[in-house]
Amino acid sequence: MTVSARYTDDRVGSAKAARAFGLGLLGTVALWSVPAAANDVVVADLAYSGAMGTYAIPRMELTDSSLTASEIETAFAQNDARVLFETLSTLSATEVVIPRMTLSQDVADVTQEAVYEDIRIADMREGRIAGFTAAGGEFSAQDGDQNVSGRFGAVEARMIDLPAILRYYTEAAGDGDNPFRTAYESFSISDLVMHDGEDVRFTIDGISGRAVAMRLLQEPLTETIAAITAMEDTDDPTPEEATRMLNFMADLMDSFRFEEMGVTGISIIDESDEDPVDMSIARIGFLGSPDGGFASFTLEDMRVAAEGAEITIASIGSEGFSFAPMTEGLRRLAEDPDADLSPDEIQRMMPVIGTVTLEELTASIPPQPDAPAMDGAIGRLSVTADTPYQGVPTNLRIAIDNLVFDLPEGTGEEFVETVRAFGYERLDLSAGFAARWNEAGQEIVLSDLSFSGEDIGAASLRGVIGGVGPQAFTGDEATRLMALMGASVKNLHLMVEDRGIAEILLTLQAAEMGVSPDEARQQMGMMSQMMLPAILGGGPQAQSLAEAVGRFLENPGELEIAVESIDPAGIPVMELGTMSTPAALMERIEIDAQAR
């Protein structure tokens, strides 16, 4: 390393000082303040190489610096991260200007380099920086034959706590308090452009974040990274090495917090001849979680075009997501790295999904090459999976509203041609599912299993399945199946509503029978009232059910059937499959059927 320095006699502007350092691929950190005795300093040809990479600063200009050129030179010359970081944490200046800074890193098999241009740090006081800007820069990464390069525009950050950041790299948490400290009040990067030198181009208008906080790791980051790098070629790590790795992963995931982060103006274009793709997203936003990671995210205005198909999505949102089970699972593994990773342990490490909602999807997709495109849309799709027990969500809800698609002629698809034969040129469908496990009652409550279609009809089912204990949620498949085999059906409730499909089916049936639709309706109603009681073994309940079904077929409207087990514990599922006749089932249930 070559270091030279000179003092300048000029006092430029009112207050200037500082120094910018530390970047982790596309992040930089910097510093702020004004001491009693200050110097205007220019230091040239600074370089540092360590676990976090190699930094090269051809020139650094400091106004009202609390450190002399010699002190800065000495800090870099030590080539010791702790010495350098401790020195920078004491630096105060009204302004620091770095015309160019280069960072080189080797991470696993990837070699990467980033160059920052025209770095300016304003009002730095003992390492704490009021404002940081960089005019832009460029970057590249190489992994074997794969190369990626690009540029980025203006970088800005406010209220950077450099001492806290540097402590994160070089110090261990210890046994005392280890609170989160805000490292950046805000930051932003604009106009990111990346390409692979061939067909793929990736651009982002802006990346921003607020209130980024961190707390110390159990081991200094620089030391841990050096140790992990040394283990890269180890096929069989020792228990101590495995423990260290797992602890580090859990600790790292739990060491960051943020209030909000967002990415805007995302575009990915692949112009390759084989698989051309044009994709854009207006915005992706994240809200931080007090437990780590993010609690919710939002995606807005997504468009994908590929191979004659196009899909757009107005928004995708998530709430209630949590990485906490994964972090806790990693810590448990670290305590006993030799333990087998059982299915139960894998389940317990699954993140909590929460609720994911998609709004307004439209699509135009040809079912096969050169065929007419089928236009479709989804008004809303919502999926909830939360309230985990041993890692398995016990509260599930799925709802899809207004799945709409056209049925054009000439597609060659059997399903399309069959539905068109019924007279439909467009389908508008909705469906739902909702179930939860009631731990106290050891039962699964099915509150919704439904389907509906415009000009078709609707059907819904709800009920209660008893005898479902904790073993039904184990990760071992055999144990889980045995537990479910002991389940019992307590009650079911079916509702059917005609909205036009009955008339279509009756018309088709009448054509096959050679009679009018009215005659077909009467015959089918009479047949059901005669055949159902015989199939179900006769009796008042069978007759009542047959009459309700007959009335529904003769004059379709609504049919409601409620079935209740006479035994409060329900009818075991295993017995349902072994009953010799439907009449045997009728002896164990009560039925209430109504046709309207």
Side-chain angles (χ1 to χ4, degrees), residues 517-551:
D518 286 341
E519 291 174 322
R521 182 181 294 111
Q522 292 176 0
Q523 290 182 28
M524 293 180 67
M526 292 175 60
M527 289 175 61
S528 67
Q529 295 190 47
M530 292 169 45
M531 295 177 61
L532 270 179
I535 294 173
L536 299 177
Q541 288 198 131
Q543 188 63 45
S544 175
L545 176 62
E547 290 175 356
V549 173
R551 288 195 300 271

Side-chain angles (χ1 to χ4, degrees), residues 54 67 91 152 198 235 254 370 394 436 463 498 510-511 516 522:
T54 298
L67 297 178
L91 177 61
F152 54 91
E198 296 181 0
D235 295 329
D254 197 36
D370 302 323
T394 62
R436 63 179 177 82
D498 173 58
S516 69
Q522 292 176 0

Side-chain angles (χ1 to χ4, degrees), residues 258-322:
F258 67 91
E259 186 173 311
E260 183 178 6
M261 289 192 182
V263 184
T264 59
I266 304 166
S267 173
I268 303 174
I269 298 176
D270 184 347
E271 297 178 337
S272 61
D273 295 333
E274 295 182 358
D275 300 305
V277 174
D278 185 348
M279 175 180 174
S280 63
I281 301 173
R283 177 181 176 272
I284 299 177
F286 297 87
L287 293 179
S289 166
D291 296 327
F294 63 89
S296 66
F297 80 86
T298 302
L299 178 150
E300 299 173 358
D301 295 329
M302 176 179 177
R303 173 185 171 274
V304 180
E307 298 183 346
E310 181 172 337
I311 298 174
T312 65
I313 298 175
S315 68
I316 300 176
S318 167
E319 295 182 351
F321 188 92
S322 176

Side-chain angles (χ1 to χ4, degrees), residues 389-517:
Y389 181 85
Q390 297 187 50
V392 179
T394 62
N395 180 48
L396 298 174
R397 294 194 305 274
I398 302 172
I400 181 169
D401 299 326
N402 303 115
L403 169 60
V404 181
F405 52 94
D406 294 330
L407 304 171
E409 292 183 284
T411 63
E413 292 293 310
E414 182 179 353
F415 169 76
V416 175
E417 299 302 326
T418 300
V419 178
R420 283 185 61 84
F422 287 169
Y424 292 98
E425 297 182 355
R426 174 179 178 272
L427 291 179
D428 186 344
L429 311 175
S430 298
F433 171 82
R436 63 179 177 82
W437 180 53
N438 176 10
E439 183 176 4
Q442 304 283 280
E443 59 188 18
I444 293 176
V445 179
L446 175 67
S447 56
D448 180 35
L449 178 59
S450 60
F451 168 86
S452 66
E454 183 178 311
D455 299 326
I456 297 176
S460 65
L461 178 70
R462 63 178 189 267
V464 177
I465 310 297
V468 182
Q471 292 300 313
F473 301 95
T474 182
D476 181 72
E477 184 176 358
T479 303
R480 184 171 62 249
L481 290 175
M482 287 296 294
L484 292 174
M485 288 172 64
S488 60
V489 180
K490 291 186 173 183
N491 60 67
L492 294 173
H493 183 277
L494 174 67
M495 172 72 78
V496 179
E497 179 184 356
D498 173 58
R499 297 176 185 172
I501 189 65
E503 189 65 29
I504 294 173
L505 295 176
L506 282 169
T507 301
L508 294 174
Q509 183 66 28
E512 290 186 8
M513 296 169 61
V515 298
S516 69

